[in-house]
């Protein structure tokens, strides 16, 4: 008889296959990322039906088949299904899922990431949340957990104190650069002091303070540009353990 594995899983992607089958991409507490095969799970009589949903936490059991992991049991623990009814929140949940899919490649167990995902989805369903800001909060803290915490206190290249009037974000350096160092860095792009302040609050996980902050439209735009560019830079250049 095949060995049964049990763990808790967060579903960040699902793909329908033929014959009412479905493949789930999950991040698990005990095995890191897994792709789990739900045999005939979309069938009306499937006992697994409803046990595993997108953006939900479930207790699951699976067996290792010949070339895939097959779901044998699933019990829904925490469901964030209501997100689907709020387009802005649903878009943020999907953006978070995309980051997870791109950056978590294999079976690395990471309790920090597990707890962080749970915390982010609690914050996302909170009616008082700012979902756009939450996405950036997620992104900067998530890459920090992966070992890419940005240097925001001193110049990332020469370690000198920064002049708030002349700040750059260096994608290659992974943090803020002074104008002298930025001059030799093709990946450095100008940022304003407000955006750097927001990034500092984010990596300090000052979510309460961020919610109260009035972010000006230019800083919002800059935060988006820097976050998106750094995402692509890391995705193209970083080498992950798996
Ligand atoms: Zn410098």
């Amino acid at each position: 008889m095949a060995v049964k594995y049990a763990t808790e899983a967060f579903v960040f992607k699902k793909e329908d296959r033929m014959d009412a089958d479905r493949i789930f991409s999950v991040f698990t507490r005990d095995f890191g990322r897994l792709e789990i095969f739900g045999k005939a799970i979309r069938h009306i009589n499937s006992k697994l039906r409803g046990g595993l949903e997108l953006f939900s936490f479930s207790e699951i059991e699976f067996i290792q088949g010949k070339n895939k992991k097959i779901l044998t049991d699933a019990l829904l623990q925490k469901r964030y299904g209501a997100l689907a009814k709020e387009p802005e929140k649903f878009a943020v949940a999907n953006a978070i899922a995309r980051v997870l899919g791109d950056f978590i490649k294999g079976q690395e167990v990471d309790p920090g990431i597990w707890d962080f995902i749970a915390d982010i989805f609690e914050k996302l369903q909170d009616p008082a949340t700012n979902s756009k800001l939450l996405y950036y909060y997620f992104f900067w803290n998530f890459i920090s957990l992966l070992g890419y915490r940005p240097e925001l206190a001193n110049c990332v290249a020469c370690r000198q104190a920064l002049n708030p009037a002349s700040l750059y974000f260096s994608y290659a350096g992974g943090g803020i650069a002074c104008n002298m160092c930025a001059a030799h860095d093709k990946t450095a792009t100008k940022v304003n002091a407000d955006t750097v302040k927001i990034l500092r609050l984010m990596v300090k996980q000052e979510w309460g303070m961020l919610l109260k902050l009035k972010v000006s439209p230019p800083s919002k735009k800059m935060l988006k540009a820097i976050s998106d560019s750094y995402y692509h830079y890391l995705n193209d250049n970083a080498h992950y353990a798996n």
Side-chain angles (χ1 to χ4, degrees):
M1 220 181 125
V3 183
K4 258 189 191 164
Y5 300 90
T7 187
E8 288 167 71
F10 172 74
V11 181
F12 62 89
K13 196 173 147 195
K14 60 175 187 182
E15 254 179 64
D16 290 347
R17 294 292 159 92
M18 280 172 15
D19 301 328
D21 297 343
R22 183 173 273 169
I23 293 178
F24 298 91
S25 297
V26 299
F27 187 70
T28 65
R29 196 192 270 281
D30 302 292
F31 306 99
R33 177 182 179 160
L34 299 174
E35 320 298 325
I36 302 264
F37 187 74
K39 179 101 192 110
I41 194 166
R42 290 181 293 129
H43 194 278
I44 193 88
N45 294 324
S46 171
K47 74 172 175 88
L48 299 173
R49 198 181 152 90
L52 213 52
E53 301 274 346
L54 188 62
F55 308 137
S56 70
F57 288 84
S58 295
E59 283 173 23
I60 63 164
E61 281 183 8
F62 63 90
I63 52 169
Q64 177 63 58
K66 211 168 172 187
N67 43 30
K68 54 191 166 227
K69 292 175 174 60
I70 300 159
L71 188 70
T72 54
D73 203 4
L75 182 68
L76 204 62
Q77 277 183 321
K78 183 113 210 185
R79 188 165 186 256
Y80 294 97
L83 292 177
K85 294 188 195 100
E86 295 178 69
E88 191 177 300
K89 288 189 181 190
F90 194 58
V92 168
N94 277 302
I96 289 170
R98 198 153 49 239
V99 175
L100 294 175
D102 281 345
F103 286 82
I104 303 177
K105 296 292 188 201
Q107 293 189 28
E108 289 160 275
V109 179
D110 195 321
I113 289 178
W114 174 264
D115 291 342
F116 182 62
I117 294 171
D119 178 51
I120 288 293
F121 276 81
E122 275 300 303
K123 285 183 167 67
L124 186 57
Q125 75 154 9
D126 183 347
T129 205
N130 176 334
S131 26
K132 283 228 175 81
L133 202 59
L134 184 63
Y135 168 75
Y136 300 115
Y137 177 89
F138 160 78
F139 174 74
W140 290 97
N141 282 297
F142 178 70
I143 59 164
S144 297
L145 284 167
L146 293 180
Y148 298 98
R149 188 186 172 102
E151 169 58 59
L152 303 169
N154 293 301
C155 172
V156 70
C158 70
R159 318 302 305 171
Q160 300 283 314
L162 293 162
N163 170 7
S166 174
L167 300 166
Y168 296 80
F169 192 91
S170 162
Y171 300 114
I176 305 300
C178 71
N179 63 343
M180 299 282 282
C181 295
H184 311 289
D185 184 341
K186 282 190 190 118
T187 72
T189 178
K190 194 124 177 51
V191 281
N192 65 21
D194 271 354
T195 305
V196 175
K197 186 179 152 192
I198 294 165
L199 291 178
R200 284 180 186 143
L201 287 171
M202 287 197 171
V203 298
K204 280 191 197 149
Q205 305 209 344
E206 299 276 10
W207 181 239
M209 248 154 111
L210 282 160
L211 277 179
K212 284 183 215 141
L213 211 65
K214 266 251 172 274
V215 184
S216 72
S219 300
K220 264 185 203 160
K221 235 174 127 178
M222 201 168 267
L223 180 64
K224 174 173 169 30
I226 302 252
S227 306
D228 291 351
S229 300
Y230 199 37
Y231 178 169
H232 291 124
Y233 182 86
L234 288 178
N235 208 10
D236 292 345
N237 294 284
H239 298 284
Y240 304 104
N242 279 283

